[in-house]
Amino acid sequence: MSDDDDDDKSSRGLSYLGALGWTFALSGLTELVALVGSALRPGGGIDTGTIAFAITAATLGVVLGMARVHAPDDPLSDLFGAKPTAPILLVLSLICGVSIVFAVSEIDATIADKLPLDEETRAFFATDTLSQKVRLSALAVAVAVSQEVFFRGALFGLLERDKPRSMVVFVTTVLAVFPPSSHQLVSGF
């Protein structure tokens, strides 16, 4: 093999079929981790915590697999599309996030009236102590961040290397809502 072949392999993009394959891999690994996690716990049920852990762990595994296969010599920050952010943008995003809290809480109250939670979910979200609230918040953030790292980071970044951006946006959006994606796992159990 020549050096040119090695360069091509270290920075090769991802095909659309490959993106679908990685999405199926994420879905399958998520279900496997959820089943194993529930089997190892006393009581053996799949609850919201198990699903959140499964999504986060499987996503980390698949993203590291994607990095190893498609960008073995690139830093992970390049794969994820992570770039330095100006501090003023962080302050502005914090201000925007805080400013919509009241509107979102009104929407949340309206949805809660129309679609009440089942008892298992209500028990999971019932928090009495600060440590429970912190754990629940960390779990929610970990799931959201891991999904963003997969779909908008690794998948988008690898597809964008050699494909038109508009098509990459469309494909990653479809794959994010496609039934085998791990987004559907929560409603599937």
Side-chain angles (χ1 to χ4, degrees), residues 124-136:
F124 180 77
F125 287 115
T127 57
D128 297 331
T129 65
L130 179 62
S131 67
Q132 288 175 324
K133 291 178 183 179
V134 168
R135 277 185 276 161
L136 182 61

Side-chain angles (χ1 to χ4, degrees), residues 41 45-55 118 120-125 136 139-140 143 185-186 189:
R41 288 183 42 227
I46 295 180
D47 61 0
T48 309
T50 304
I51 293 169
F53 171 75
I55 290 170
D118 60 11
E120 178 189 343
T121 307
R122 186 182 310 279
F124 180 77
F125 287 115
L136 182 61
L139 200 60
V143 169
L185 184 67
V186 176
F189 282 110

Side-chain angles (χ1 to χ4, degrees), residues 109-123:
T110 304
I111 291 172
D113 288 342
K114 304 269 186 211
L115 302 168
L117 297 175
D118 60 11
E119 288 305 314
E120 178 189 343
T121 307
R122 186 182 310 279

Side-chain angles (χ1 to χ4, degrees), residues 141-165:
V141 168
V143 169
V145 167
S146 69
Q147 292 295 285
E148 291 298 318
V149 163
F150 177 75
F151 287 104
R152 295 183 200 222
L155 201 63
F156 188 90
L158 288 171
L159 284 170
E160 191 181 33
R161 287 182 176 184
D162 58 355
K163 309 225 176 347
R165 179 174 276 227

Side-chain angles (χ1 to χ4, degrees), residues 156 160 163-170:
F156 188 90
E160 191 181 33
K163 309 225 176 347
R165 179 174 276 227
S166 58
M167 193 63 181
V168 171
V169 169
F170 175 75

Side-chain angles (χ1 to χ4, degrees), residues 86-103:
I88 188 68
L89 293 177
L90 296 174
V91 170
L92 287 174
S93 66
L94 181 65
I95 291 169
C96 289
V98 169
S99 67
I100 65 169
V101 165
F102 300 109

Side-chain angles (χ1 to χ4, degrees), residues 45-82:
I46 295 180
D47 61 0
T48 309
T50 304
I51 293 169
F53 171 75
I55 290 170
T56 305
T59 303
L60 176 64
V62 169
V63 167
L64 291 177
M66 291 173 77
R68 180 76 178 126
V69 170
H70 296 284
D73 298 329
D74 295 348
L76 286 177
S77 61
D78 288 352
L79 179 67
F80 300 149

